[in-house]
């Protein structure tokens, strides 16, 4: 076999391997108006109740966007001449704390043939003991709107975001105008997860996830604000004290 033949054979093998490695969607909607895919990571699939919950929510999202795409195509068919909409949702586990609390990231990609695609991020906190979604309320003595806990969180979040913007040379947008939507309320503070920790089974604090446009221009992309558990120590319940500890792993801190 010539060197060229060997090279071609190796190239073909690499391409085939890459294609074979592509994950298969867990749900798909494909019409003339849209192709939308849903993915659950392997850790989620290993937890049947969590997988069922994510899949049920994801299928509703697929169906909703398929209906909207069909309506848009009917109203403005010229925008679908080259291609239909392209949507994707991925559910991935970010952390498992105390072998009970599972933080899930839900990342969406949306291309409606506009100026540029859009993305969104949200989170799920899953209680394995009760097989249901919960909030972070059980970890804090109070989480009232405009209460001490929520005010401390917002203050720490904004400090974290300003530091991250400085690292990105985006200090000009580290202004109150970009942070005005962050309110001392669980519903308006941002999508939250329990951050992993250097201490096994613990969480090093809270991470808040923001899609493009939420706290900065589209070009700046997503932001993650980290609030160490020590900052919130005065407000922790007994359960909060039990699950928080350690420090944020270096690799986690280096992620966007």
């Amino acid at each position: 076999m010539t060197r060229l033949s060997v090279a071609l054979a190796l190239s073909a093998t690499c391409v085939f391997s890459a294609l074979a490695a592509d994950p298969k969607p867990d749900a798909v909607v494909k019409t003339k108006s849209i192709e939308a895919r849903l993915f659950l990571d392997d850790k989620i699939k290993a937890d049947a109740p969590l997988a069922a919950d994510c899949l049920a929510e994801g299928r509703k999202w697929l169906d909703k966007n398929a209906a909207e795409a069909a309506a848009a195509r009917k109203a403005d068919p010229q925008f679908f001449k080259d291609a239909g909409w392209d949507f994707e949702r991925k559910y991935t586990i970010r952390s498992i704390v105390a072998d009970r609390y599972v933080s899930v990231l839900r990342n969406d990609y949306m291309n409606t043939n506009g100026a540029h695609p859009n993305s969104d991020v949200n989170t799920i906190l899953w209680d394995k003991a009760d097989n249901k979604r919960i909030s972070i309320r059980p970890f804090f003595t109070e989480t009232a709107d405009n209460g001490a806990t929520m005010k401390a969180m917002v203050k720490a979040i904004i400090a974290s975001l300003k530091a991250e913007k400085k690292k990105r040379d985006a200090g000009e947008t580290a202004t109150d105008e970009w942070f005005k939507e962050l309110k001392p309320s669980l519903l308006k503070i941002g999508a939250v997860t329990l951050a992993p920790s250097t201490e096994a089974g613990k969480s090093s604090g809270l991470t808040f996830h923001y899609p493009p446009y939420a706290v900065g221009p589209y070009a700046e992309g997503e932001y993650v604000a980290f609030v160490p558990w020590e900052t919130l120590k005065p407000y922790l319940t007994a359960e909060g004290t039990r699950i928080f500890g350690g420090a944020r792993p270096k690799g986690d801190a280096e992620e966007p």
Side-chain angles (χ1 to χ4, degrees):
M1 186 178 288
T2 66
R3 290 183 180 180
L4 178 59
S5 298
V6 171
L8 290 173
L10 288 173
S11 176
T13 300
C14 290
V15 170
F16 178 79
S17 298
L19 292 173
D22 286 344
K24 181 181 178 182
D26 296 284
V28 178
V29 169
K30 190 171 184 179
T31 68
K32 292 181 179 179
S33 307
I34 190 172
E35 180 174 343
R37 302 163 299 280
L38 182 70
F39 295 90
L40 309 180
D41 78 8
D42 290 340
K43 290 182 179 179
I44 291 177
K45 292 178 187 179
D47 185 329
L50 175 58
D53 182 272
C54 293
L55 192 59
E57 177 189 69
R59 287 186 185 278
K60 288 180 182 178
W61 182 79
L62 293 179
D63 292 342
K64 173 179 177 290
N65 287 297
E68 290 179 0
R73 185 171 182 269
K74 184 176 181 180
D76 298 295
Q78 69 272 19
F79 293 113
F80 291 79
K81 287 189 300 181
D82 298 324
W85 291 0
D86 186 29
F87 279 49
E88 185 170 285
R89 171 170 285 187
K90 292 182 177 180
Y91 292 87
T92 56
I93 288 183
R94 167 155 169 70
S95 68
I96 302 176
V97 175
D99 197 31
R100 176 173 180 177
Y101 302 112
V102 184
S103 290
V104 177
L105 283 175
R106 193 188 77 190
N107 291 99
D108 295 346
Y109 166 86
M110 300 152 287
N111 186 350
T112 57
N113 300 328
H116 57 71
N118 285 315
S119 62
D120 195 15
V121 60
N122 213 321
T123 60
I124 298 164
L125 183 57
W126 182 259
D127 185 344
K128 290 176 64 176
D130 295 329
N131 286 327
K132 67 177 184 180
R133 299 186 185 201
I134 61 170
S135 72
I136 58 172
R137 291 185 192 277
F139 312 133
F140 299 96
T141 53
E142 64 84 27
T143 52
D145 290 358
N146 297 305
T149 305
M150 302 311 299
K151 285 182 177 179
M153 280 189 196
V154 169
K155 182 179 179 181
I157 287 169
I158 291 175
S160 176
L161 289 171
K162 285 183 176 180
E164 180 61 28
K165 282 176 177 280
K166 186 177 180 180
K167 283 168 53 179
R168 299 188 191 184
D169 293 325
E172 67 277 6
T173 65
T175 62
D176 291 343
E177 179 65 22
W178 279 108
F179 303 140
K180 67 182 180 180
E181 296 302 319
L182 301 180
K183 308 291 185 183
S185 164
L186 275 184
L187 297 180
K188 296 180 180 179
I189 201 169
V192 62
T193 59
L194 298 175
S197 173
T198 53
E199 188 174 339
K202 300 284 188 176
S203 170
S204 60
L206 302 177
T207 36
F208 294 84
H209 304 258
Y210 302 99
Y213 291 126
V215 293
Y218 177 82
E220 289 182 15
E222 293 187 9
Y223 275 97
V224 176
F226 172 65
V227 180
W229 70 273
E230 293 92 341
T231 300
L232 305 172
K233 189 175 181 179
Y235 314 104
L236 295 178
T237 60
E239 182 66 354
T241 301
R242 185 180 77 86
I243 70 162
F244 286 110
R248 189 183 187 191
K250 183 179 178 181
D252 189 73
E254 289 173 349
E255 292 180 2

